[in-house]
């Protein structure tokens, strides 16, 4: 069985005219909220055997925070299969290329992650609201050409920070 974690990058700077989208960095608030989510993930024993990341700055910064919080010791593998406009099938091919790993942490962006989550669950038309800084776990019994994953859990920054504020999830 393989565990695949999808981690969308944290809140990033707004795009600026004349600057590349790939160079947008995380904000301080984005880093803080991301750390809270990842600390809960660490408590849930998320221990990736391999971290794969989009080469975009905000994703690499997110992957670096994940590396630190989850006590991952190896290098972060960069792949264009996780850039915003990538094809979910290419991302699945990347997962399958690392079949020897027991667990993968994929760090990337929307619209890819909303589409990828649906694709990995065998429901490509499903609408998934994949929030910034959120993490999702999907398990696979096999890595067949067409994925049929099992959703185990999905944690957003709002849920992670509601604990800090004492709010109940869903309470406004």
């Amino acid at each position: 069985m393989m565990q695949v974690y999808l981690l969308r990058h944290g809140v990033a700077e707004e795009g600026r005219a004349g600057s590349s989208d790939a160079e947008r960095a995380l904000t301080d608030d984005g880093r803080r909220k991301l750390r809270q989510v990842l600390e809960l993930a660490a408590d849930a024993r998320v221990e990736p055997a391999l971290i794969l990341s989009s080469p975009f700055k905000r994703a690499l910064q997110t992957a670096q925070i994940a590396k630190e919080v989850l006590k991952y010791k190896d290098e972060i593998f960069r792949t264009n299969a996780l850039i915003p406009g990538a094809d979910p099938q290419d991302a699945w091919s990347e997962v399958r290329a690392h079949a020897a790993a027991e667990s993968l942490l994929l760090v990337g962006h929307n619209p890819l992650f909303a589409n990828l989550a649906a694709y990995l669950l065998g429901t490509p038309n499903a609408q998934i609201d994949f929030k910034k800084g959120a993490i999702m776990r999907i398990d696979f019994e096999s890595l067949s050409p067409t994925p049929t994953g099992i959703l185990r859990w999905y944690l957003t920054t709002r849920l992670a920070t509601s604990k800090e504020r004492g709010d109940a999830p869903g309470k406004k």
Side-chain angles (χ1 to χ4, degrees), residues 95-138:
V95 167
R96 293 180 72 215
H98 299 283
E102 288 184 17
S103 60
L104 297 178
L105 175 66
L106 309 181
V107 183
H109 316 261
N110 269 348
L112 174 63
F113 271 24
N115 297 327
L116 180 59
Y119 178 74
L120 294 178
L121 294 169
T123 57
N125 294 323
Q127 299 293 306
I128 297 179
D129 185 14
F130 212 112
K131 300 289 190 185
K132 290 177 185 164
I135 186 170
M136 178 182 287
R137 176 179 159 188
I138 302 174

Side-chain angles (χ1 to χ4, degrees), residues 8-30:
R8 186 173 171 205
H9 68 79
V11 176
E13 304 167 328
E14 292 297 321
R16 292 187 298 267
S19 65
S20 168
D21 178 53
E23 290 304 313
R24 290 174 42 218
L26 294 178
T27 64
D28 289 342
D29 189 50

Side-chain angles (χ1 to χ4, degrees), residues 2 4-6 25 33-34 37 45 54 58 61 65 69 72 74 80 88 92 94 130 134 151 161 165-166 168 170:
M2 179 186 275
V4 175
Y5 299 94
L6 304 181
K33 288 178 179 176
L34 187 61
V37 164
R45 296 201 169 116
S54 155
R58 60 194 178 274
Q61 289 175 324
I65 294 169
V69 174
Y72 175 76
D74 295 315
N80 286 330
W92 178 239
E94 188 72 61
F130 212 112
L151 176 64
T161 59
R165 292 189 318 259

Side-chain angles (χ1 to χ4, degrees), residues 10-11 13 23 34 38 47 68 71 83 120 125 134 142 156:
V11 176
E13 304 167 328
E23 290 304 313
L34 187 61
L38 288 166
E47 298 172 347
E68 177 189 324
K71 297 177 176 41
I83 64 173
L120 294 178
N125 294 323
S142 70
T156 64

Side-chain angles (χ1 to χ4, degrees), residues 35 51 53 59-69 76 107:
R35 193 169 291 280
I51 296 178
S53 178
L60 286 170
Q61 289 175 324
T62 297
Q64 191 61 45
I65 294 169
K67 178 178 179 171
E68 177 189 324
V69 174
I76 295 167
V107 183

